Amino acid sequence: MNPTTESAVPVAPPPTAPAPRARRVHRAWIVAAVTFVTIIGGAAFNSLPGLLFDPLQDDFGWSRGQIGLAVSIDMALYGLTAPFAAALMDRFGIRRVVAVALSMVAAGALASVWMTAAWQLMLYWGLLVGLGTGSMALAFSATVTNRWFVARRGLVTGVLTAAGASGQLVFLPLCAWIVDRHGWRPASVTVALAALVVVPFVWLLMRDHPADVGLAPYGGDYVEKPAPTRGAAARTVRVLFDAARTGPFWLLAGSFAICGASTNGLIRTHFVPSAHDHHMPITDAASLLAVIGIFDIIGTVFSGWLTDRYDARRLLAVYYALRGISLLFLPLLMHPTVEPPMVLFIVFYGLDWVATVPPTLALCREQYGEDSAIVFGWVLASHQVGAALVAFLGGVARDYFGTYDVVWYAAGALCAVAALMVLVIRRVREPARAALTA
């Protein structure tokens, strides 16, 4: 064969590789975004109670203890509903539970416009709003995170936890302005509408499980959607009894109760009336709480990032210790005007506000595996029980002593106790955790 002739035969070029398809955003991020907006809408009401102590006293003559009791019922039910809500989401789906919860928040806020007696305040704010917000508590974030994410769980937990602070950032100044200019009733209508507006987003864009759209969770392998779990309440109680037989549960629950006492129960409920006691305008005090919301977002997201990299126990100990120290200085910072030391406290406290959530949730996952969302719901219940006690007792202390100083000092001491509690939680070995969750 002539080599020259052979070499002259044309050779077909190799097939051209298809152009790579543009990567689409994983559906998990869309679900996380809807969850973020939902928590903001549900958290709108949480911006309101601290602004209304003085207006309700002026309109109805109710004591701060009575108003604080209504807030405490709301907070306690918020916490006690959370673990059952996580199980109900397993049974009926996230969309249905959250849509009903938002409607309950709107109904309670709207009905309060026509109340005339203290028991109605406790019914509308305490029962309806408490049950509604509890169904969208941090157990909601935990359920979404556990189902839709394998990678970036700590970061997503931090972002979703910060959603509550974002709601505070949006609604606190707005509600304070409405209360100051138009009274407390239009402010209550505003938060009712905020909850209702979110319902269509939940119904149209939320999905219960990655398998509903044929996807694997972000950063993980595809898994079939589990069958709806019947006996949600029984399962929730069973998980509580199983967890209650372990020491880490009580350490987590106790430390998180102190967390709730020193944030929702204390600062969110009593900071504005305490500042007003020192002749600071309500709008200025509410703006300071909104600034807490700004730095809360930064601190919580950063805490989620840290939780993916460092020991959650040590992070929690540092958070609680620093929080306690800051509370001890707060009585010295109260003035009629906003001074630089108060701004420094607000920034510092904001960074620490719910930075405790990502490492606490990480410890629940480590200790309790597949049941961690429900266990975290019970730990959150203790958070809200602690908040409820201080919301009520803080008002009683103010009625009795004429000042909030003793409450700030007591909360600072409790934070030191929480720091010690989390340090003694031991790491659990995988075989032990498997036995716990079997």
Side-chain angles (χ1 to χ4, degrees), residues 110-330:
L110 195 58
S112 67
V113 171
W114 294 283
M115 66 185 175
T116 56
W119 67 266
Q120 294 170 325
L121 177 70
M122 295 170 194
L123 174 63
Y124 302 146
W125 281 18
L127 182 63
L128 285 177
V129 175
L131 291 174
T133 54
S135 298
M136 296 178 294
L138 294 174
F140 168 39
S141 302
T143 300
V144 170
T145 305
N146 287 349
R147 291 186 185 183
W148 282 91
F149 291 88
V150 173
R152 301 291 187 269
R153 276 181 172 172
L155 177 63
V156 174
T157 300
V159 171
L160 294 182
T161 303
S166 300
Q168 176 176 296
L169 172 63
V170 171
F171 286 101
L172 255 175
L174 174 62
C175 289
W177 180 84
I178 293 173
V179 170
D180 188 53
R181 297 294 182 87
H182 304 287
W184 65 269
R185 288 180 176 87
S188 191
V189 172
T190 299
V191 300
L193 294 176
L196 286 177
V197 164
V198 182
V199 174
F201 290 93
V202 173
W203 198 255
L204 295 175
L205 299 177
M206 178 66 72
R207 292 296 180 269
D208 294 329
H209 195 278
D212 288 342
V213 288
L215 293 176
Y218 182 81
D221 299 323
Y222 180 84
V223 292
E224 292 291 339
K225 182 179 179 179
T229 304
R230 296 185 180 275
R235 180 190 174 203
T236 301
V237 175
R238 175 183 58 78
V239 169
L240 171 63
F241 282 122
D242 289 344
R245 292 198 294 265
T246 66
F249 174 79
W250 294 106
L251 293 170
L252 287 167
S255 59
F256 219 42
I258 294 171
C259 178
S262 56
T263 52
N264 292 352
L266 186 61
I267 297 294
R268 178 173 287 170
T269 305
H270 293 293
F271 178 81
V272 172
S274 177
H276 193 54
D277 283 347
H278 291 79
H279 309 292
M280 182 183 291
I282 289 178
T283 50
D284 290 353
S287 296
L288 288 174
L289 279 186
V291 173
I292 283 182
I294 297 174
F295 288 94
D296 182 17
I297 296 170
I298 298 170
T300 308
V301 173
F302 185 52
S303 177
W305 184 86
L306 290 174
T307 301
D308 286 333
R309 290 160 176 79
Y310 299 102
D311 185 354
R313 298 157 187 77
R314 294 183 180 180
L315 290 176
L316 284 173
V318 171
Y319 297 159
Y320 286 128
L322 293 177
R323 181 183 299 177
I325 292 170
S326 67
L327 284 172
L328 296 178
F329 286 97
L330 182 56

